[in-house]
Amino acid sequence: MKVELQNLTKIFPSRNKKSNEEVVAVSDFNLTIPDGKLVGLLGPSGCGKSTTLYMISGLQKPTAGKIFFGDEDVTELSPENRGIGLVFQNYALYPHMTVKQNILFPLQNLKGADKMTKEQMHERAYKAARLVQIDELMDRKPSELSGGQQQRVAIARALVKMPRVLLLDEPLSNLDARLRLQTREEIRRIQKETGITTIFVTHDQEEAMSISDVIVVMKLGVVQQVGKPQEIYDNPINLFVAKFLGTPPINVFDGKVKDGALYIGEEKVLDVGKVNDGRVFVGVRPEGFVPAEDGALTCKLSNVEVMGRDVSIVSSNKAMLSQTIRSIVDADYKISVGAEYVKFNLKPHKVFLFDEYTEERIYFGSQSAPTPIDEEM
Ligand code: ADP
Ligand code: MG
């Protein structure tokens, strides 16, 4: 099912009667999700991810804008009539019911033409349970399950009605690291197997990167960038997006452009061609540093961590805006651990410039702005 959001906006009235400070939770959100894709809604806490999801589900009414499932305008439709499956962070299972009863529950309330026989319901419940691999646990109570198993039950319950759209709000946040990894792979597998259009909310960039066909990065209710995970990483549209994606995070320096050359501190580090003179923020991805004896950028060496194939170099530079520079280089480069300084050349396609005031990207050399994704995704 194709999902289309048009100018979707949610403004919460002020909680305090005296002040008029309303909260713009979501502002003019436009997105088309083609049938069968998984979209990751990514952003820091409070940026409007859940509110967006709740509007799509029908649990919250938009202040403005429209929502379409296929060609159908569902903006005014109640949640029950939208054909959605919802999974929350806290699994929200009924504690007094068995796993099977929990999964059956959404089917028992179906009315009219949708009403099912006992056998049909049973068959559906087992099918959903098999999909998430909990069909052995059908007679247990939620308290007798691990967190990961409980979340699978919640997913089965969301799938049992064969929803047109699956909505997941930080579904992995309550799981420990290992289970989180495993469950996110499961969700991806289930999504591919069923082909259900899915919106997956998370504040965890790595999670979003690994699971999504397309990521939507949000900040303060406003969509910043929409694109394939790798494209957003390789070509961020502003400093916020550049900083939000990537582990270790991007290194940001105070820089200066003069006569087509980029300077960090007093050192000329790159030719940038036709960029206006002035101060800029310089973002360098950890893999953008190439150690070289006559390297352009001199950094004070703090630590060298060998991690198998790669070497992580921790260093510092006065123009760096946070404490340390983290660079990842090939293990072939022999870095002398005892050295006081390390010099780097920078890979131009791993270096991003940003306007010092607007923090918008400044493209240089062969770089160019990302193309809108809507048509090709
Ligand atoms: P996220 O899921 O990205 O953490 P939310 O969508 O929950 O963010 O919240 C977005 C903004 O809207 C926040 O500033 C939050 O405080 C506010 N907000 C959310 N729900 C309500 C509500 N029911 N009433 C007032 N403000 C709300
Ligand atoms: Mg939320």
Side-chain angles (χ1 to χ4, degrees), residues 56-343:
I56 299 170
S57 72
L59 292 175
Q60 274 175 1
K61 198 173 144 43
T63 309
K66 284 192 183 308
I67 302 161
F68 291 87
F69 286 1
D71 294 327
E72 185 189 0
D73 183 347
V74 300
T75 317
E76 300 295 324
L77 224 53
S78 68
E80 307 82 72
N81 294 324
R82 287 194 188 195
I84 47 128
L86 249 180
V87 178
F88 298 100
Q89 175 179 342
N90 55 347
Y91 331 114
L93 301 174
Y94 300 108
H96 59 285
M97 294 184 186
T98 63
V99 167
K100 187 170 159 190
Q101 287 165 336
N102 265 285
I103 300 174
L104 279 172
F105 188 78
L107 301 178
Q108 285 162 339
N109 296 315
L110 293 177
K111 305 249 152 48
D114 294 333
K115 210 166 151 58
M116 291 183 175
T117 65
K118 264 216 162 86
E119 287 70 37
Q120 284 170 328
M121 286 195 274
H122 187 88
E123 200 176 301
R124 278 278 200 93
Y126 270 90
K127 194 173 162 208
R130 272 196 302 275
L131 204 54
V132 298
Q133 297 170 346
I134 47 155
D135 45 322
E136 314 267 280
L137 308 173
M138 291 295 248
D139 295 321
R140 294 213 199 160
K141 293 271 176 65
S143 62
E144 297 161 345
L145 302 177
S146 72
Q149 288 168 334
Q150 289 187 50
Q151 193 54 299
R152 283 161 194 248
V153 177
I155 295 169
R157 191 178 57 181
L159 289 171
V160 75
K161 279 210 283 186
M162 300 190 178
R164 304 196 281 177
V165 181
L166 182 61
L167 305 170
L168 306 160
D169 192 356
E170 312 239 11
L172 309 180
S173 300
N174 283 0
L175 306 182
D176 65 49
R178 203 176 54 84
L179 255 181
R180 203 150 61 218
L181 212 71
Q182 191 187 339
T183 313
R184 89 180 181 209
E185 283 161 13
E186 289 278 286
I187 290 178
R188 187 52 166 160
R189 175 184 62 78
I190 293 161
Q191 194 272 331
K192 282 201 163 138
E193 266 178 51
T194 57
I196 298 175
T197 309
T198 300
I199 303 171
F200 183 101
V201 163
T202 178
H203 63 271
D204 180 332
Q205 57 92 23
E206 200 185 329
E207 201 168 283
M209 293 269 282
S210 66
I211 203 173
S212 312
D213 292 307
V214 163
I215 290 180
V216 178
V217 185
M218 293 180 78
K219 175 192 175 190
L220 294 171
V222 180
V223 172
Q224 305 290 301
Q225 189 166 359
V226 180
K228 292 186 182 140
Q230 192 66 40
E231 284 171 4
I232 298 191
Y233 181 83
D234 289 337
N235 209 3
I237 205 160
N238 59 32
L239 184 60
F240 175 82
V241 174
K243 281 161 88 171
F244 206 77
L245 270 74
T247 35
I250 194 163
N251 301 282
V252 184
F253 300 86
D254 231 340
K256 173 178 81 187
V257 174
K258 190 153 195 315
D259 300 329
L262 174 66
Y263 293 83
I264 291 177
E266 296 306 311
E267 293 175 304
K268 181 185 156 184
V269 293
L270 271 186
D271 286 318
V272 291
K274 293 190 208 93
V275 174
N276 292 340
D277 285 1
R279 305 212 66 86
V280 287
F281 289 126
V282 186
V284 186
R285 290 282 182 213
E287 66 277 21
F289 296 85
V290 183
E293 278 189 12
D294 58 349
L297 181 68
T298 310
C299 301
K300 197 162 187 305
L301 185 61
S302 319
N303 199 5
V304 178
E305 299 162 5
V306 181
M307 313 177 297
R309 208 155 37 87
D310 297 328
V311 173
S312 166
I313 303 173
V314 183
S315 62
S316 62
N317 180 295
K318 277 200 191 109
M320 175 72 180
L321 291 178
S322 64
Q323 292 255 304
T324 53
I325 304 166
R326 280 203 165 265
S327 45
I328 309 278
V329 304
D330 202 284
D332 291 346
Y333 293 108
K334 295 283 170 268
I335 308 295
S336 154
V337 181
E340 195 174 352
Y341 291 95
V342 56
K343 281 167 165 280

